[in-house]
Short mmCIF file of all heavy atoms in Angstrom, two decimals:
data_model
loop_
_atom_site.label_atom_id
_atom_site.label_comp_id
_atom_site.label_asym_id
_atom_site.label_seq_id
_atom_site.Cartn_x
_atom_site.Cartn_y
_atom_site.Cartn_z
N GLN A 282 30.10 -61.52 38.67
CA GLN A 282 30.92 -62.73 38.87
C GLN A 282 30.13 -63.78 39.66
O GLN A 282 30.27 -64.98 39.43
CB GLN A 282 32.23 -62.38 39.57
CG GLN A 282 33.20 -63.54 39.72
CD GLN A 282 33.58 -64.15 38.38
OE1 GLN A 282 34.09 -63.48 37.50
NE2 GLN A 282 33.28 -65.43 38.20
N GLY A 311 43.57 -68.08 36.22
CA GLY A 311 43.86 -66.66 36.37
C GLY A 311 42.79 -65.93 37.15
O GLY A 311 41.92 -66.52 37.80
N ALA A 312 42.86 -64.61 37.06
CA ALA A 312 41.96 -63.73 37.81
C ALA A 312 40.53 -63.81 37.29
O ALA A 312 40.31 -64.06 36.11
CB ALA A 312 42.47 -62.30 37.70
N CYS A 313 39.56 -63.62 38.20
CA CYS A 313 38.15 -63.49 37.83
C CYS A 313 37.77 -62.01 37.92
O CYS A 313 38.59 -61.16 38.28
CB CYS A 313 37.28 -64.36 38.72
SG CYS A 313 37.05 -63.72 40.39
N LEU A 314 36.52 -61.68 37.60
CA LEU A 314 36.07 -60.29 37.68
C LEU A 314 36.25 -59.72 39.09
O LEU A 314 36.59 -58.56 39.28
CB LEU A 314 34.59 -60.18 37.30
CG LEU A 314 34.23 -60.21 35.82
CD1 LEU A 314 32.72 -60.36 35.67
CD2 LEU A 314 34.70 -58.94 35.12
N SER A 315 36.00 -60.56 40.09
CA SER A 315 36.09 -60.08 41.47
C SER A 315 37.54 -59.86 41.90
O SER A 315 37.80 -59.07 42.80
CB SER A 315 35.40 -61.06 42.43
OG SER A 315 34.02 -61.11 42.13
N CYS A 316 38.47 -60.58 41.25
CA CYS A 316 39.89 -60.32 41.50
C CYS A 316 40.27 -58.95 40.91
O CYS A 316 40.92 -58.14 41.55
CB CYS A 316 40.76 -61.36 40.81
SG CYS A 316 40.62 -63.04 41.41
N ILE A 317 39.86 -58.74 39.67
CA ILE A 317 40.26 -57.52 38.95
C ILE A 317 39.62 -56.29 39.60
O ILE A 317 40.25 -55.25 39.72
CB ILE A 317 39.81 -57.60 37.46
CG1 ILE A 317 40.40 -58.83 36.77
CG2 ILE A 317 40.16 -56.30 36.71
CD1 ILE A 317 41.85 -58.77 36.45
N PRO A 446 44.97 -65.20 40.27
CA PRO A 446 43.90 -64.81 41.19
C PRO A 446 44.43 -63.92 42.30
O PRO A 446 45.59 -64.01 42.69
CB PRO A 446 43.43 -66.15 41.77
CG PRO A 446 43.87 -67.17 40.80
CD PRO A 446 45.13 -66.65 40.18
N GLN A 447 43.56 -63.04 42.80
CA GLN A 447 43.91 -62.14 43.89
C GLN A 447 43.76 -62.90 45.21
O GLN A 447 42.75 -63.59 45.40
CB GLN A 447 42.94 -60.96 43.83
CG GLN A 447 43.38 -59.73 44.57
CD GLN A 447 44.50 -59.01 43.85
OE1 GLN A 447 44.76 -59.23 42.67
NE2 GLN A 447 45.18 -58.15 44.57
N CYS A 450 40.24 -63.19 47.22
CA CYS A 450 39.14 -62.79 46.33
C CYS A 450 37.81 -63.31 46.87
O CYS A 450 37.72 -64.47 47.30
CB CYS A 450 39.38 -63.35 44.93
SG CYS A 450 37.94 -63.17 43.85
N GLU A 451 36.78 -62.44 46.85
CA GLU A 451 35.50 -62.84 47.44
C GLU A 451 34.80 -63.93 46.62
O GLU A 451 33.90 -64.59 47.12
CB GLU A 451 34.58 -61.62 47.61
CG GLU A 451 34.16 -60.98 46.29
CD GLU A 451 33.27 -59.76 46.48
OE1 GLU A 451 33.65 -58.86 47.26
OE2 GLU A 451 32.20 -59.72 45.86
N PHE A 452 35.21 -64.13 45.38
CA PHE A 452 34.63 -65.20 44.57
C PHE A 452 35.55 -66.41 44.53
O PHE A 452 35.26 -67.43 45.15
CB PHE A 452 34.33 -64.72 43.15
CG PHE A 452 33.73 -65.79 42.28
CD1 PHE A 452 32.38 -66.09 42.35
CD2 PHE A 452 34.53 -66.54 41.41
CE1 PHE A 452 31.83 -67.11 41.58
CE2 PHE A 452 34.00 -67.55 40.64
CZ PHE A 452 32.64 -67.83 40.72
N CYS A 453 36.68 -66.27 43.84
CA CYS A 453 37.50 -67.48 43.65
C CYS A 453 38.33 -67.84 44.87
O CYS A 453 38.91 -68.92 44.93
CB CYS A 453 38.32 -67.40 42.36
SG CYS A 453 39.53 -66.09 42.31
N GLY A 454 38.35 -66.97 45.88
CA GLY A 454 39.00 -67.31 47.14
C GLY A 454 38.05 -68.00 48.11
O GLY A 454 38.42 -68.36 49.22
ZN1 ZN B 501 38.69 -63.99 41.84
#
Side-chain angles (χ1 to χ4, degrees):
Q282 185 59 58
C313 74
L314 281 169
S315 296
C316 294
I317 302 286
Q447 198 74 16
C450 169
E451 65 181 51
F452 180 81
C453 63

